[in-house]
Amino acid sequence: MSQATERLRRYLDDELGECRTEDVDRRLDELGTLEAAFGTGRGEAELDVLSALANETRYTLVRVLVAAGEELCVCELNAVVDVTESGLSHALSGLVDAGLVEGRKDGRWKMYRATNRAITLVTVLEGSVSVDG
Amino acid sequence: MSQATERLRRYLDDELGECRTEDVDRRLDELGTLEAAFGTGRGEAELDVLSALANETRYTLVRVLVAAGEELCVCELNAVVDVTESGLSHALSGLVDAGLVEGRKDGRWKMYRATNRAITLVTVLEGSVSVDG
DNA sequence: GTATTAATTGAATATCTACTCAACGAACGT
DNA sequence: ACGTTCGTTGAGTAGATATTCAATTAATAC
């Protein structure tokens, strides 16, 4: 049994009382389940989305596209972020990969718009962070 | 006028037709407003929250605490993530700063639980990313 | 055809970040 | 008081990431 699990057993002994070994075993089992369900490696898709959003340039782009409510061209987006054209392209590429924006080519311009996922997340974030924090 | 804005004006000329200079100016104004509202520096609070969540260790901790629905002690959390005790402590500290978990000392144990903000965000993330993606 | 413009791609780099190690502080038992 | 255990803190480091520059593709104009 690992170091961590020994400490855990001490805590559970402390918490539940020494006489109820069955309860201790049951809670250890429950944690095993938690580990299986939530431990390293799970929830990767959400993590990709979070990583894409957790950057000033990319988050600004998503917020602008959500607020605009329509597709904007790269040249318009270039006006609201402070990176080179290349940096902007890299940023948009990351957002596409995360399913947060979609691109469409229109002649020699390229248009981007926010996906439903982006709309949902930005809305909730602005609400949850500004309101209850 | 900057490089980017020149390109933008060309796009708007193209989009709206050359004869309607007023419309072009109006859209440029609108984008100026967008830039003021969303440009660099705004939405920092949300970005802090996103940065806190966008890490495997921290996101796992938040998901476990949300799923548990009750406070868990550090020793229990240690069982579900794959970092040292010190790494775990750093992770929890970041989550507290972002308003995603709250800590309470109980004798020599320390208990952590998810805040409402964390519950909201995890719920929406799991829904939005698994369902419409 | 050539020139111009929009946008993307890849490589290089500078910065940031997550982790570990070592040392420390705080609570409890004896 | 002393030893033990829980947890945190700070420094150092290896690895990740965001950005820029240079080169390239694709579309339009002449």
Side-chain angles (χ1 to χ4, degrees):
Chain A
M1 182 169 291
S2 75
Q3 282 270 78
T5 312
E6 286 175 33
R7 176 172 55 155
L8 182 51
R9 185 170 284 276
R10 278 194 297 270
Y11 165 73
L12 292 173
D13 281 344
D14 194 43
E15 177 81 357
L16 299 168
E18 299 169 5
C19 352
R20 304 170 65 194
T21 321
E22 273 181 36
D23 281 352
V24 174
D25 287 337
R26 186 176 49 71
R27 278 204 74 161
L28 280 174
D29 275 357
E30 284 170 14
L31 268 176
T33 308
L34 272 185
E35 185 178 10
F38 297 98
T40 298
R42 304 238 128 266
E44 274 187 59
E46 289 117 283
L47 212 44
D48 288 342
V49 173
L50 286 168
S51 302
L53 279 179
N55 167 263
E56 181 167 337
T57 299
R58 290 190 300 264
Y59 186 55
T60 300
L61 290 170
V62 171
R63 280 195 304 148
V64 167
L65 285 168
V66 168
E70 59 180 348
E71 57 187 12
L72 298 178
C73 99
V74 173
C75 58
E76 288 178 293
L77 294 170
N78 210 351
V80 295
V81 291
D82 192 28
V83 290
T84 63
E85 206 176 319
S86 170
L88 174 57
S89 198
H90 283 297
L92 286 167
S93 166
L95 291 172
V96 169
D97 289 346
L100 290 165
V101 308
E102 284 169 356
R104 176 181 73 86
K105 194 144 192 200
D106 180 28
R108 66 172 150 174
W109 312 92
K110 185 137 181 199
M111 315 296 297
Y112 283 93
R113 64 185 181 79
T115 62
N116 288 338
R117 176 183 295 179
I119 295 170
T120 304
L121 291 177
V122 167
T123 304
V124 171
L125 268 166
E126 290 181 343
S128 145
V129 173
S130 310
V131 172
D132 59 62
Chain B
M1 182 170 292
S2 75
Q3 281 271 76
T5 312
E6 286 174 34
R7 175 171 57 154
L8 182 50
R9 182 171 286 278
R10 279 194 296 270
Y11 165 74
L12 291 172
D13 281 344
D14 194 43
E15 177 81 358
L16 299 168
E18 300 168 6
C19 352
R20 304 171 63 193
T21 321
E22 273 180 37
D23 281 353
V24 174
D25 286 337
R26 187 176 47 71
R27 278 204 74 159
L28 279 173
D29 275 358
E30 284 171 14
L31 269 175
T33 308
L34 273 185
E35 185 179 9
F38 297 99
T40 299
R42 305 237 126 265
E44 274 186 59
E46 287 118 285
L47 212 44
D48 288 343
V49 172
L50 286 168
S51 302
L53 278 180
N55 168 261
E56 180 165 338
T57 300
R58 290 190 300 263
Y59 187 55
T60 300
L61 290 171
V62 171
R63 280 194 304 148
V64 166
L65 284 168
V66 168
E70 60 179 348
E71 58 186 13
L72 297 178
C73 101
V74 173
C75 58
E76 287 177 294
L77 294 171
N78 210 350
V80 294
V81 290
D82 191 27
V83 291
T84 62
E85 205 176 321
S86 170
L88 173 57
S89 198
H90 283 296
L92 287 167
S93 166
L95 290 172
V96 169
D97 290 346
L100 290 165
V101 309
E102 284 170 355
R104 176 180 72 87
K105 194 144 193 201
D106 181 29
R108 68 172 149 174
W109 312 92
K110 185 136 180 201
M111 316 296 296
Y112 283 94
R113 63 184 182 80
T115 61
N116 288 337
R117 175 181 296 179
I119 295 169
T120 303
L121 291 177
V122 167
T123 305
V124 171
L125 269 166
E126 289 180 344
S128 144
V129 173
S130 311
V131 171
D132 57 63

